[in-house]
Amino acid sequence: TFCRMAETVTAIHIYPVKSCGAMALDRVEVSDTGLRGDRLFQVVDTEGNPVTQRQQPMLATVRPTLTDGGLTLDANGRTALRVAIPVSNDTTVNSLLGVPVGAGDAGDDAAGWFSDLLGAPVRLVAMTDDSEYRLPIPGVDMPLSWADAASVLVANSASLEWLNERADETFGMDRFRPNLTVDAGEAWVEDTWRDLSIGGARLGLGLAWPRCSIPQVDQIDGSRHEEPAKVLKQHRWCSDAASAGEELRPLFEGNALFGIGCSVHPTGAVITVGDEVDVHTTGTPIIAAPA
């Protein structure tokens, strides 16, 4: 089906270090792995496996800021640290889905800074121009940063409002860590979006996104909460994702869904706060919109 709508981008965020705090932007450029600077770094344990807020909610309190050729790490009560972006790969670590990926180690100072914060030995690594990570899913050719499984996450503020009206405690959009927040006016309409344009960028492969335990973490102080898990389980639980196809079905079943994961292209396109969202193609949502 063909449908043209005009909604608006109200916020843009990237996450320079996977599972750490957001960096708000007025405009962002598309890179070959998503949005430039998004999930460029990740923290790994001594086995090279990613460390996220699932295990270490205090990562939420870290405020990374990208600067020319570097990254500044800041957190309450800690001395800020400037880290250079590695230019070449000198190690191999794992993506969240267990795929080995070449990366550049960010050095002992960064490793010590995060190890002291988390109380466990960890390293900070970055993707370089030589790094390559693609989803281990047949037929899906989407180069990624350290993002879980989609280049860009889009969320609708009307859907957040719908959840908050039914939740035991309120929570902000920051809990869901979207890249693009849009005002679509109608809750859950984003579940039907498959192909859309924003600014000079084209977003495709739109699919409602499975949520882990991270939205239960307060993105300011790292404390854990019961919401939004309770309201999501009551209203947004996916028990049957047959419409997603056999390859993707296990990704959705047994999870709550919020927001949509998308691919994005072309490299060099720019998205700006205030841009209209033009939806070109829609489809049947994986789960029906709640009543």
Side-chain angles (χ1 to χ4, degrees), residues 28-206:
V28 68
E29 183 180 325
V30 175
S31 73
D32 56 357
T33 59
L35 302 183
R36 191 165 302 284
D38 188 48
R39 276 85 173 190
L40 176 62
F41 289 81
Q42 78 169 359
V43 178
V44 298
D45 63 18
T46 55
E47 302 298 318
N49 295 314
V51 177
T52 73
Q53 289 181 35
R54 298 167 180 86
Q55 308 92 10
Q56 293 280 5
M58 286 303 291
L59 285 172
T61 67
V62 178
R63 299 283 170 258
T65 304
L66 284 174
T67 57
D68 289 341
L71 175 77
T72 299
L73 300 171
D74 202 0
N76 289 339
R78 302 187 60 79
T79 302
L81 179 70
R82 181 172 169 79
V83 180
I85 299 175
V87 296
S88 60
N89 293 341
D90 55 11
T91 188
T92 300
V93 299
N94 296 319
S95 74
L96 191 72
L97 298 182
V99 177
V101 181
D105 190 284
D108 291 342
D109 288 346
W113 196 92
F114 272 104
S115 296
D116 289 345
L117 174 72
L118 302 180
V122 296
R123 305 291 300 185
L124 181 67
V125 300
M127 284 199 162
T128 74
D129 291 342
D130 299 324
S131 301
E132 184 174 345
Y133 168 43
R134 281 176 164 78
L135 290 178
I137 299 174
V140 178
D141 185 22
M142 185 193 306
L144 292 173
S145 63
W146 298 119
D148 288 356
S151 300
V152 175
L153 182 66
V154 180
N156 176 9
S157 54
S159 299
L160 175 74
E161 182 179 354
W162 192 99
L163 290 176
N164 269 312
E165 289 172 351
R166 293 158 178 82
D168 290 341
E169 59 179 349
T170 59
F171 42 85
M173 185 64 89
D174 61 341
R175 295 278 195 93
F176 294 102
R177 300 172 61 80
N179 294 115
L180 305 176
T181 301
V182 302
D183 180 4
E186 177 186 346
W188 314 118
V189 66
E190 69 277 14
D191 287 358
T192 68
W193 297 352
R194 297 293 179 267
D195 181 55
L196 50 149
S197 297
I198 305 177
R202 192 72 175 249
L203 284 73
L205 303 176

Side-chain angles (χ1 to χ4, degrees), residues 200-232:
R202 192 72 175 249
L203 284 73
L205 303 176
L207 287 173
W209 210 241
R211 310 311 309 213
C212 62
S213 60
I214 288 179
Q216 292 173 252
V217 177
D218 186 295
Q219 296 298 298
I220 303 298
D221 63 18
S223 59
R224 288 192 186 274
H225 297 258
E226 291 186 346
E227 293 289 14
K230 289 173 63 177
V231 70
L232 285 171

